[in-house]
């Protein structure tokens, strides 16, 4: 689609709206010509107290125009967000007139729709928030309910935090094999076995420096999450070594939870689970993604559904307080009936925390590179329409949600929990309630202040992380500077 921006350069917000409403279109910036059949002109006019966006849209002979005015207030960071909201609502209104349809999340295009719900709740209460989501943002009733319940969980989690609380993330970027849908920084152990030990050496070095920094700043680690990759790709002695090093360098006495992803059943055995229990792990995450053998084969898993059943029996026998299981709606070769069977079995297995993801068609995944057949948006919608009432019937409620680019049907990922089994780390990171200090390759440290949010990124790949310790040292220095500056402002 040809796009002309007048009076601004808000390309990011424009592209988010375009991708949601016209998923097959990509922007080409320039001056609109009479011969253009798919085009948009987006104008901005800003005065001292407000910003106004006007979108003129042409699509295969249909034309529409829509304007939206939004008040500006607060910090520069907040005002930038307000401009993007206004642009999104302006573009959405024009697109809605042209297309005659509205996606489930209406004009909300961001990763965190719950943040909008939380803001509206604080501004005017439940009735006001629901009315605004319906009438201003055009969100469907079911998605409003999801957003409101997740926002309520976020508000409760925020109320229990202290100003010096942070979370700790440790990344293990290794997996037994690479799944077809994956675009994460994760390497197959088959191809990178020799990197595991030197990676642990480097990670333990970073833990020493990071632990000292956290103590010097007077911070408290509220939650700890080890993800990947697949952390349980490590052997039992390797996992014991890493957890011992972390306990030595960080005070885990104030932890509300300790979560470790044991995502692949072909990496789980009683010895590893015994190590995790010995280090006071409160939750393990087993991620079958599906219980259909043909779908497991299609996504590149080398195990069967029976291996997931075996792993879950071992986890239950080990006595972990909480177990999370993940499913993905929209995987290659899956059907609405197959997804329903998978969900029913996962519920029956006894997990008290279930995350239902929607397949995100990431550019770096094998699915995209190989052009695999995937279920349609209508089939994915049917899968999610089954998940929602089924999980509610079994005592689950949504507690966090987020969206991603290139998602099938522009839907969402939702974490469902039974009472008391919430994964607090998920809430903290999604709602940006406090800082997340990330260690390891691909780690993204998020520094959350009163008025701004900053990020620092570790080296992306294991080999680079091992060979360039100066990168994580610089990130720790940035973390220290952020907190020192914040303390000075107070």
């Amino acid at each position: 689609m040809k796009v002309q921006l007048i009076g601004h350069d808000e390309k990011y917000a424009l592209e988010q709206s375009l991708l949601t409403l016209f998923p097959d279109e990509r922007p080409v910036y320039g001056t609109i010509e009479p011969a253009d059949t798919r085009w948009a002109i987006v104008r901005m006019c800003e005065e001292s107290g407000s910003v106004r966006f006007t979108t003129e849209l042409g699509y295969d002979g249909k034309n529409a125009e829509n304007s939206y005015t939004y008040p500006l207030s607060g910090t520069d960071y907040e005002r930038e967000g307000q401009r993007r909201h206004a642009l999104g609502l302006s573009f959405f209104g024009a697109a809605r007139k042209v297309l005659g349809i509205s996606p489930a999340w209406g004009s909300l295009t961001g990763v965190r729709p719950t943040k909008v719900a939380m803001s509206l709740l604080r501004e005017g209460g439940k009735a006001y928030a629901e009315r605004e989501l319906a009438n201003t943002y055009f969100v469907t009733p079911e998605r409003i309910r999801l957003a409101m319940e997740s926002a309520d969980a976020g508000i409760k989690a925020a109320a229990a935090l202290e100003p010096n609380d942070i979370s700790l993330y440790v990344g293990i970027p290794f997996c037994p094999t690479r799944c077809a849908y994956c675009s994460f920084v994760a390497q197959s152990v088959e191809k990178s076995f020799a990197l595991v030990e030197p990676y642990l050496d480097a990670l333990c070095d970073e833990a020493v420096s990071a632990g000292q920094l956290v103590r010097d700043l007077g911070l408290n680690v509220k939650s700890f999450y080890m993800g990947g990759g697949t952390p349980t790709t490590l052997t039992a002695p390797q996992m014991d070594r890493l957890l011992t090093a972390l306990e030595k360098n960080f005070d885990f006495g104030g932890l509300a939870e300790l979560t470790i992803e044991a995502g692949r059943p072909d990496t789980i055995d009683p010895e590893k689970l015994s190590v995790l229990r010995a280090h006071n792990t409160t939750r393990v995450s087993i991620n079958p993604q599906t219980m259909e053998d043909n779908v497991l084969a299609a996504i590149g898993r080398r195990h069967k559904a029976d291996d997931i059943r075996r792993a879950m029996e071992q986890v239950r026998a080990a006595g972990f307080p909480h177990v999370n299981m993940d499913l993905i709606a929209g995987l290659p070769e899956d059907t609405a009936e197959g997804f329903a069977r998978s969900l029913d079995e996962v519920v029956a297995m006894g997990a008290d925390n279930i995350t239902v993801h929607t397949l995100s068609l990431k550019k770096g995944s094998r699915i995209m590179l190989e052009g695999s057949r995937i279920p349609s948006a209508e089939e994915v919608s049917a899968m999610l329409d089954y998940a929602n009432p089924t999980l509610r019937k079994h005592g689950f409620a949504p507690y966090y949600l987020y969206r991603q680019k290139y998602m099938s049907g522009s839907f969402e990922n939702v974490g469902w929990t039974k009472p008391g089994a919430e994964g607090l780390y998920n809430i903290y990171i999604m709602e940006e309630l406090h800082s997340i200090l990330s260690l390891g390759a691909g780690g993204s440290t998020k520094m959350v202040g009163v008025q701004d949010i900053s990020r620092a990124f570790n080296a992306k790949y294991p080999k680079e992380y091992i060979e360039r310790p100066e990168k994580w040292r610089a990130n720790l220095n940035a973390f220290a500077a952020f907190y020192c500056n914040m303390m000075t402002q107070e």
Side-chain angles (χ1 to χ4, degrees), residues 341-364:
R341 286 192 295 269
S342 294
L343 181 66
D344 289 344
E345 184 164 5
V346 164
V347 169
M349 284 182 183
D352 59 1
N353 191 296
I354 296 173
T355 308
V356 178
H357 295 272
T358 302
L359 180 65
S360 180
L361 304 175
K362 303 272 182 81
K363 293 179 181 178

Side-chain angles (χ1 to χ4, degrees), residues 471-486:
K471 178 59 178 169
W472 61 253
R473 291 193 183 105
N475 290 344
L476 292 181
N477 288 337
F479 189 83
F482 181 90
Y483 271 92
C484 290
N485 183 56
M486 194 162 61

Side-chain angles (χ1 to χ4, degrees), residues 145-168:
R145 186 181 181 187
L146 283 176
M148 294 293 287
E149 289 174 311
S150 298
D152 185 58
I155 290 170
K156 289 177 181 176
L161 289 172
E162 298 294 335
N164 66 330
D165 284 341
I166 65 168
S167 287
L168 177 67

Side-chain angles (χ1 to χ4, degrees), residues 375-390:
S376 67
E378 290 74 21
E379 290 175 287
V380 174
S381 179
M383 295 174 186
L384 299 180
D385 287 345
Y386 180 81
N388 194 313
T390 299

Side-chain angles (χ1 to χ4, degrees), residues 296-316:
L296 287 170
I299 64 175
R301 294 283 184 102
R302 292 184 180 174
H303 61 79
K304 303 285 188 179
D306 278 345
D307 296 306
I308 300 166
R309 299 179 184 108
R310 170 197 55 76
M312 190 59 178
E313 288 175 2
Q314 293 174 345
V315 166
R316 282 199 299 259

Side-chain angles (χ1 to χ4, degrees), residues 19 53-54 56 110 173 179 188 203 218 274 287 293 308 345 356 369 384 406 422-424 472 479:
L19 184 64
F53 276 91
T54 299
E56 298 175 59
C179 294
S188 166
L203 187 55
S274 178
N287 305 327
D293 282 339
I308 300 166
E345 184 164 5
V356 178
L369 296 174
L384 299 180
Y406 314 114
E422 294 86 351
L424 293 174
W472 61 253
F479 189 83

Side-chain angles (χ1 to χ4, degrees), residues 289-341:
Q289 317 304 8
T290 177
M291 296 298 293
E292 301 283 292
D293 282 339
N294 66 311
V295 182
L296 287 170
I299 64 175
R301 294 283 184 102
R302 292 184 180 174
H303 61 79
K304 303 285 188 179
D306 278 345
D307 296 306
I308 300 166
R309 299 179 184 108
R310 170 197 55 76
M312 190 59 178
E313 288 175 2
Q314 293 174 345
V315 166
R316 282 199 299 259
F320 290 94
H322 302 292
V323 180
N324 163 262
M325 299 186 82
D326 285 7
L327 293 175
I328 298 178
L331 288 173
E333 305 303 327
D334 208 357
T335 62
E337 295 77 15
F339 178 84
R341 286 192 295 269

Side-chain angles (χ1 to χ4, degrees), residues 89 92 96 102-107 132-140:
L89 289 165
F92 174 82
R96 190 166 177 263
S102 180
W105 283 103
S107 66
E132 284 293 297
L133 288 170
N135 299 334
T136 300
Y137 296 96
F138 298 95
V139 181
T140 64

